Amino acid sequence: MIVGSGLAGYTVAREFRKLDPETPIQIISADHGGFYSKPMLSNALATGKTPISILNANAEKMAEQLKMTIRAHSRVTEIEPINKNVTLHGGEKLFYSQLILALGADPIRLPLEGDGADAILSVNDLDDYHQLCTVLKGKKDVVILGAGLIGCEFANDLAVAGYRVRVIDISAQPLGRLLPPSGGAYLQRRLEAIGVTFHLGAVTQSVERIHESLRLTLASGEIIQTDVLLSAIGLRPRTALADAAGITVNRGIAVSRSLQTRYADIYALGDCAEVEGRVLPFVMPIMHAARGLAATLAHTPTSVRYPAMPVLVKTPACPTVVSPPDAETQGEWQVEENEGGVKALFRNTEGNLVGYALLGTATKEKNVLAAQLPAIME
Ligand SMILES: Cc1cc2nc3c(=O)[nH]c(=O)nc-3n(C[C@H](O)[C@H](O)[C@H](O)COP(=O)(O)OP(=O)(O)OC[C@H]3O[C@@H](n4cnc5c(N)ncnc54)[C@H](O)[C@@H]3O)c2cc1C
């Protein structure tokens, strides 16, 4: 039984089916249960993609393809590890022999004052994208809270789609956690060149509704009026269900390298999971974890191994690839910059390459340099 029909849930199902065509698989999902590429949501507006055109296959098609059953629009409200069952919203109990939690993550919401706070949108799934498309109809002006990866991607996409875009962030530069200052400045200039305006080092305090629009007040006293407010300040692993069941939870649902929780028959992967202390909410770690878990479930116990996994930032105005060093790693950035881009290499105190940020033409070196990076988990 897999709870969650996102990339993590479906990839485990697909990988497991390759190894075992017979054992019944059941997916329980709170959403529609269709399969789509979530990364596409932050670069779909400029090319006019609708929620329907983004959906690769609906739940019925997926069930047929993978020879399994899917319970869509069914939320698991309780797990009983000792009795090996889950309870669905409405009270129905279902028994499992192995349970895989692929619950994803929730967007973090800023605790803002004002009667406009409930109008703030965030896009973390296909339904959210549908809502964004609906709200954007007839509007011209969007403010994005957060200049991280998702915020910058939406800024690029919305600007190319013809909207006036302003981005607000408390940090002094875009992609503050991933780029050295010169890289952040380069990305900022390239996004400004397509019309994006940045308000950096700025704290948003409140949002009020003024007729059809929203009025933000920054801590500096500055007032910004907009039609649409999109929040992209980060995600928090969905851990409440596991926590209530007595499964160990830290930042995410704590699992070993075989993706096992403290209960032998309960596993977790994807955005909800913390694998030996690491929460890696990206596509590549999910693919590696799903392959390993499928093998374990098919009776070949397997530990997940993560190679270096650079992330492509989908900002066509400034092609960017990042492989940030661990937060605890001591070292320094060595930066080369020219008209065409920025090549920033992070070396540890022994002089070894342990991270990089490549922007513009420097991105052509991404594969050669990735081969020199150490594995994230051997
Ligand atoms: C806009 C955007 C762009 C991105 N771009 C990139 C990118 O370019 N590159 C990259 O590597 N990563 C990117 N990511 C991250 C990547 O998409 C995610 O890491 C990945 O899709 C997460 O998959 P998941 O299956 O873990 O979670 P989700 O896709 O969130 O799936 C969670 C599933 O669990 C279900 N669920 C939750 N609670 C319950 C419950 N109680 N009962 C039943 N079902 C439940 C949900 O309905 C859903 O089906 C992006 C993310 C976003 C939001």
Side-chain angles (χ1 to χ4, degrees):
M1 179 185 289
I2 301 170
V3 187
S5 61
L7 185 72
Y10 270 130
T11 310
V12 174
R14 192 174 286 119
E15 293 297 324
F16 181 71
R17 265 290 167 260
K18 289 181 193 164
L19 304 172
D20 179 334
E22 299 300 334
T23 302
I25 306 177
Q26 171 162 223
I27 287 192
I28 318 284
S29 184
D31 63 24
H32 49 86
F35 184 69
Y36 67 99
S37 163
K38 192 187 281 200
M40 209 180 256
L41 301 180
S42 49
N43 66 349
L45 291 161
T47 46
K49 290 195 181 71
T50 62
I52 289 172
S53 68
I54 290 173
L55 187 69
N56 289 328
N58 63 22
E60 289 72 36
K61 223 181 214 159
M62 291 306 293
E64 197 185 309
Q65 251 179 42
L66 297 172
K67 298 194 191 66
M68 60 180 191
T69 47
I70 300 183
R71 298 271 304 246
H73 304 294
S74 301
R75 180 171 292 279
V76 172
T77 55
E78 193 185 353
I79 303 168
E80 290 183 62
I82 307 299
N83 300 328
K84 296 185 74 167
N85 67 43
V86 300
T87 307
L88 303 187
H89 179 72
E92 188 183 352
K93 280 193 195 301
L94 299 173
F95 288 85
Y96 61 81
S97 59
Q98 315 258 37
L99 180 67
I100 292 120
L101 303 176
L103 302 165
D106 281 317
I108 296 172
R109 295 188 73 85
L110 277 180
L112 295 179
E113 294 161 22
D115 65 358
D118 61 349
I120 302 175
L121 304 175
S122 55
V123 176
N124 184 39
D125 60 34
L126 200 55
D127 290 340
D128 293 340
Y129 180 71
H130 185 266
Q131 193 192 3
L132 177 70
C133 293
T134 308
V135 171
L136 282 173
K137 273 192 194 123
K139 303 284 166 53
K140 277 273 128 237
D141 194 301
V142 183
V143 165
I144 299 173
L145 299 177
L149 200 125
I150 308 285
C152 286
E153 292 185 353
F154 270 112
N156 194 143
D157 199 40
L158 283 156
V160 175
Y163 295 90
R164 176 187 183 206
V165 182
R166 285 167 290 174
V167 180
I168 302 176
D169 200 301
I170 192 167
S171 164
Q173 64 166 84
L175 260 56
R177 287 203 216 126
L178 303 174
L179 299 179
S182 51
Y186 186 85
L187 173 64
Q188 182 177 343
R189 288 197 298 278
R190 300 306 292 250
L191 289 174
E192 284 170 348
I194 60 163
V196 177
T197 307
F198 284 88
H199 296 257
L200 297 169
V203 177
T204 310
Q205 258 180 351
S206 63
V207 193
E208 313 286 343
R209 284 176 196 270
I210 306 289
H211 306 297
E212 288 291 287
S213 60
L214 296 165
R215 188 178 70 184
L216 281 89
T217 306
L218 306 187
S220 62
E222 191 178 350
I223 304 280
I224 295 177
Q225 199 131 337
T226 185
D227 298 329
V228 179
L229 188 50
L230 179 62
S231 173
I233 60 161
L235 295 170
R236 188 172 288 129
R238 291 188 179 120
T239 56
L241 195 58
D243 198 19
I247 296 166
T248 308
V249 160
N250 300 320
R251 267 198 308 145
I253 301 172
V255 293
S256 65
R257 285 182 63 175
S258 48
L259 289 321
Q260 198 173 52
T261 64
R262 63 181 280 246
Y263 291 102
D265 295 317
I266 305 183
Y267 300 84
L269 82 165
D271 285 8
C272 67
E274 179 183 313
V275 185
E276 281 206 340
R278 286 169 196 274
V279 176
L280 297 171
F282 297 105
V283 170
M284 285 315 290
I286 291 176
M287 306 310 276
H288 287 281
R291 255 176 248 134
L293 180 52
T296 298
L297 295 169
H299 310 296
T300 307
T302 302
S303 286
V304 65
R305 184 190 163 275
Y306 290 138
M309 296 175 284
V311 175
L312 261 77
V313 185
K314 302 184 297 296
T315 44
C318 180
T320 301
V321 187
V322 291
S323 185
D326 267 347
E328 332 56 271
T329 305
Q330 299 289 317
E332 59 180 11
W333 288 103
Q334 294 170 346
V335 183
E336 287 170 36
E337 181 171 357
N338 59 35
E339 266 302 283
V342 175
K343 174 179 170 183
L345 304 182
F346 192 90
R347 295 192 184 277
N348 64 14
T349 43
E350 282 91 54
N352 300 322
L353 182 69
V354 292
Y356 70 54
L358 306 171
L359 296 96
T361 51
T363 54
K364 64 179 184 294
E365 293 187 60
K366 65 179 190 285
N367 293 336
V368 174
L369 288 168
Q372 299 170 30
L373 291 170
I376 294 177
M377 229 183 237
E378 276 296 356

